[in-house]
């Protein structure tokens, strides 16, 4: 099999795999489905209340942070389950740490959301 080492085609293939992975996340993982739905809700809310360009940037970063960290958490969980399908204390510890990272991201996103939207509703 001939391997294509071109920079452009290599990046296009990588992008294709990334899109495929994002699709798998959104269509198979319930936490990502919920967080994607909340992201869409915030986009509509942002248009509804007319948030500023800076607020759009902060909202986009917060939503992307949560979705990205949740994707990494899912990958850690899938790898851990593959390596050790039965419960194991050390695997549980690793999975809890990954979930903790999602928690930090979610708390940050909620704080950003409150800072953006509370002034519009108070």
């Amino acid at each position: 099999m001939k391997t294509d080492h071109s920079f452009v085609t290599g990046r296009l293939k990588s992008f294709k795999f990334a899109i495929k992975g994002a699709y798998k996340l959104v269509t198979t993982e319930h936490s990502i489905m919920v967080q994607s739905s909340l992201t869409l809700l915030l986009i509509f809310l942002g248009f509804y209340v007319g948030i500023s360009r800076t607020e759009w940037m902060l909202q986009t970063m917060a939503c992307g942070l949560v979705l990205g960290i949740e994707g990494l958490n899912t990958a850690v969980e899938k790898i851990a389950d593959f390596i050790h399908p039965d419960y194991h204390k050390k695997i549980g510890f690793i999975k809890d740490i990954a979930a903790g990272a999602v928690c930090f991201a979610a708390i940050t996103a909620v704080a950003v959301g409150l800072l953006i939207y509370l002034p519009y509703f108070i």
Side-chain angles (χ1 to χ4, degrees):
M1 180 152 116
K2 186 177 177 185
T3 305
D4 184 1
H5 295 287
S6 167
F7 177 78
V8 173
T9 55
R11 299 301 59 82
L12 289 174
K13 287 179 183 177
S14 294
F15 185 71
K16 178 182 164 188
F17 292 133
I19 294 298
K20 183 178 176 182
Y23 179 78
K24 285 181 181 180
L25 274 170
V26 171
T27 57
T28 63
E29 297 300 318
H30 291 265
S31 56
I32 292 285
M33 290 176 195
V34 169
Q35 292 159 349
S36 297
S37 298
L38 289 172
T39 296
L40 290 173
L41 177 69
L42 286 171
I43 290 169
F44 288 119
L45 187 59
F47 282 117
Y48 179 75
V49 301
I51 62 177
S52 72
R53 182 181 179 146
T54 302
E55 291 167 332
W56 274 114
M57 287 187 282
L58 293 169
Q59 177 173 289
T60 301
M61 292 295 290
C63 291
L65 174 72
V66 172
L67 291 169
I69 298 295
E70 184 63 57
L72 291 173
N73 177 52
T74 299
V76 167
E77 288 181 354
K78 298 291 185 191
I79 291 169
D81 291 344
F82 179 76
I83 291 171
H84 205 295
D86 298 325
Y87 177 79
H88 189 278
K89 187 176 179 180
K90 288 183 180 179
I91 294 290
F93 182 78
I94 292 166
K95 291 168 79 172
D96 288 346
I97 290 171
V102 176
C103 184
F104 286 136
I107 290 168
T108 301
V110 168
V112 169
L114 290 173
L115 288 168
I116 291 172
Y117 289 105
L118 277 181
Y120 290 99
F121 293 105
I122 293 179

